[in-house]
Amino acid sequence: MVSPSSHLAISFLLLSASLAASASIEENFVQCLSFYSDKAAPFYPSIYTPKNASFDNILNSTAQNLRLLVPSAPKPEFIFTPLTDSHVAVAVICSKKLGIHMRVRSGGHDYEGLSYVSEIEAPFIIIDLVKLRAIDIDIDDKSAWIQSGATIGEVYYKIYEKSKVHGFPAGLCTSLGVGGHITGGAYGSMMRKYGLGADNVLDAKIIDASGNILDREAMGEDLFWAIRGGGGASFGIILWWKIKLVPVPETVTVFTVTKTLEQDATKVLHRWQEVAPYIDDDLFIRVIIQPASVGNKTERTIATSYNAQFLGGADRLLQVMSESFPELGLTRKDCLETSWIKSVLYIAGFPNDTPPEVLLQGKSTFKNYFKAKSDFVREPIPETGLQGLWQRLLEEDSPLMIWNPYGGMMSRFSESDIPFPHRNGTLYKIQYLTLWQDGDNNAAKHVDWIRKLYNYMSTYVSKFPREAYVNYRDLDLGMNKKNSTSYIQATAWGNMYFKDNFNRLVKIKTKVDPENMFRHEQSIPPLPVSNMSLKDKKCKTWE
């Protein structure tokens, strides 16, 4: 009599033979999915190839950087949009057995497109989690379970539906996909009060390199540490996050005050550097910096817009500002008292009369050709340094800088509490962007400009290492070669993103994914397993 396990072994051998004879990667993958999948959840409508009329729409749907969607950019063999957690698990198993390189996308903002483009491996497929967006809010427990494909705006709205006095400290851009957003840290306008989104994660569910679904207890504290800020797509596929809800007041105040060079913008910004990281924890004042026209003239100036959220009423805000930052000249008429959910919309750039339901659309309002970089600042930039910066910004067509203040709760976490290390001593973070609309035509010109700007700023920003934010991936910092994540090469960007936490991330990667199943241009490298015998290596291929 043949045992059930023998039947399974025979079936797999037959499957292997069948796959080897199949005509395409897609057919092999489908056949493998059919073998392993739960029959109650059919997956066939969830596979899109370039032959499908909807392929381009699916590929472009959440991708934010048009620079990585031009015809010359590498395209996947197909896109798989799983309908269940088990579909994702089976996709991992089949990708591993068939040797298919996969990219995983949970949002797509992804500045260098690593979740939907592969510059170093072909062919590749995309596992897009867009259909996995359930959100379960538990107000009594002050927590929520959220699937990776949900946007942070959907999460905010679902919290608001249940409570007007709870929120979550995560992204300012509401179309961010939750999965990758939290893996990099997830900063937002409440970070000075409550820390990062990743600081407020209670549990998670992840698929490992063997296709197992693990919660916090099953994955262990090392892996749970790594996924909260260690960057996306190095350790597995996040299916769910369990987040901790935080209290917010019924009345929140927002404002935007703009100062141009003609209105002492340089002096006010210099003062902001000294004030914003140390001001009341309830107050977040970021600065959006870009060229602007002078009146109706063709002449350009620099506009610095102070865009703020205060967890409280206007009267207390005005008192805080008059004591700490009178140089901005904030007045009562600048202030808008509103609810927390409306303040989310305000900071995200929606018009004041926009209903909260817009958050359920989950669409990015920012699609451009762009190149981005980041820095962290530990000493105020002198006015002469700012003047040199203005000169360079005025040379570019459409540059943008965003300065986000740190301090408050951000300084009370240790650098090693989670992999995100940019903590005490950081005054603010800079995001640099250059945007253009003419596709590939002048891309090199704009990229060259931002690289020169980045070089100019080296004098004024963090050093040894010069720090960078992992969720603003920048391939200028270095990248892996095909199927090779060299530890020595990866230290170049690893130390910038993670500082001393990089080595711990490498050890965890080596333990949980030694064969480097989850990899991309800037993934965490496993250490080479030099003592594995040839016999062991052969066995590994059949596991």
Side-chain angles (χ1 to χ4, degrees), residues 308-358:
Q309 179 197 65
F310 179 68
L311 299 174
D315 290 343
R316 188 164 76 87
L317 169 61
L318 288 165
Q319 183 179 347
V320 167
M321 290 293 287
S322 67
E323 292 172 0
S324 301
F325 194 17
E327 293 84 356
L328 188 63
L330 186 71
T331 66
R332 183 65 179 81
K333 66 177 173 33
D334 296 318
C335 302
L336 174 64
E337 289 188 330
T338 187
S339 61
W340 174 74
I341 195 69
K342 285 280 196 175
S343 77
V344 166
L345 295 170
Y346 180 91
I347 293 290
F350 290 99
N352 289 342
D353 58 352
T354 305
E357 285 70 25
V358 72

Side-chain angles (χ1 to χ4, degrees), residues 67-133:
R67 175 169 63 90
L68 302 161
L69 293 173
V70 294
S72 59
K75 301 295 186 289
E77 295 293 304
F78 59 86
I79 303 167
F80 178 43
T81 56
L83 301 173
T84 66
D85 290 354
S86 63
H87 279 177
V88 187
V90 170
V92 170
I93 292 169
C94 290
S95 295
K96 186 174 186 179
K97 289 194 179 297
L98 297 169
I100 302 172
H101 182 56
M102 65 177 178
R103 297 295 168 111
V104 182
R105 182 164 75 174
S106 64
H109 279 217
D110 189 2
Y111 283 8
E112 295 281 17
L114 304 188
S115 61
Y116 53 93
V117 173
S118 175
E119 297 285 353
I120 58 173
E121 301 206 37
F124 71 99
I125 65 172
I126 295 174
I127 312 296
D128 193 327
L129 307 182
V130 65
K131 294 177 182 175
L132 302 177
R133 52 202 314 140

Side-chain angles (χ1 to χ4, degrees), residues 110-223:
D110 189 2
Y111 283 8
E112 295 281 17
L114 304 188
S115 61
Y116 53 93
V117 173
S118 175
E119 297 285 353
I120 58 173
E121 301 206 37
F124 71 99
I125 65 172
I126 295 174
I127 312 296
D128 193 327
L129 307 182
V130 65
K131 294 177 182 175
L132 302 177
R133 52 202 314 140
I135 300 168
D136 182 16
I137 308 292
D138 186 340
I139 293 297
D140 293 336
D141 187 50
K142 298 182 177 63
S143 68
W145 275 103
I146 51 181
Q147 265 184 314
S148 283
T151 65
I152 200 65
E154 289 172 323
V155 173
Y156 293 155
Y157 183 84
K158 292 296 183 182
I159 296 170
Y160 154 77
E161 271 191 323
K162 294 286 185 75
S163 169
K164 306 301 183 281
V165 291
H166 287 89
F168 182 62
L172 300 96
C173 185
T174 56
S175 59
L176 286 161
V178 165
H181 180 45
I182 296 178
T183 60
Y187 78 88
S189 56
M190 294 200 293
M191 62 190 281
R192 302 189 65 257
K193 179 74 171 181
Y194 295 115
L196 305 168
D199 294 322
N200 292 274
V201 169
L202 302 169
D203 203 342
K205 291 183 181 177
I206 186 173
I207 295 177
D208 69 9
S210 298
N212 301 308
I213 299 177
L214 310 173
D215 62 8
R216 178 175 183 173
E217 183 178 3
M219 77 177 80
E221 288 303 301
D222 273 352
L223 182 53

Side-chain angles (χ1 to χ4, degrees), residues 396-462:
E396 177 63 344
D397 297 344
S398 186
L400 175 68
M401 295 178 73
I402 303 174
W403 294 15
N404 288 293
Y406 275 47
M409 182 58 78
M410 290 295 291
S411 295
R412 295 175 201 130
F413 286 93
S414 157
E415 287 196 353
S416 60
D417 279 349
I418 65 172
F420 181 98
H422 318 289
R423 300 292 191 172
N424 193 31
T426 300
L427 299 181
Y428 57 95
K429 178 181 68 194
I430 297 177
Q431 177 178 188
Y432 310 89
L433 291 156
T434 178
L435 307 97
W436 63 94
Q437 295 298 327
D438 47 357
D440 267 346
N441 294 338
N442 287 301
K445 180 187 90 168
H446 302 294
V447 172
D448 182 60
W449 174 84
I450 200 171
R451 287 171 177 163
K452 288 179 178 175
L453 177 68
Y454 187 71
N455 288 339
Y456 167 76
M457 291 295 288
S458 62
T459 303
Y460 306 110
V461 298
S462 59

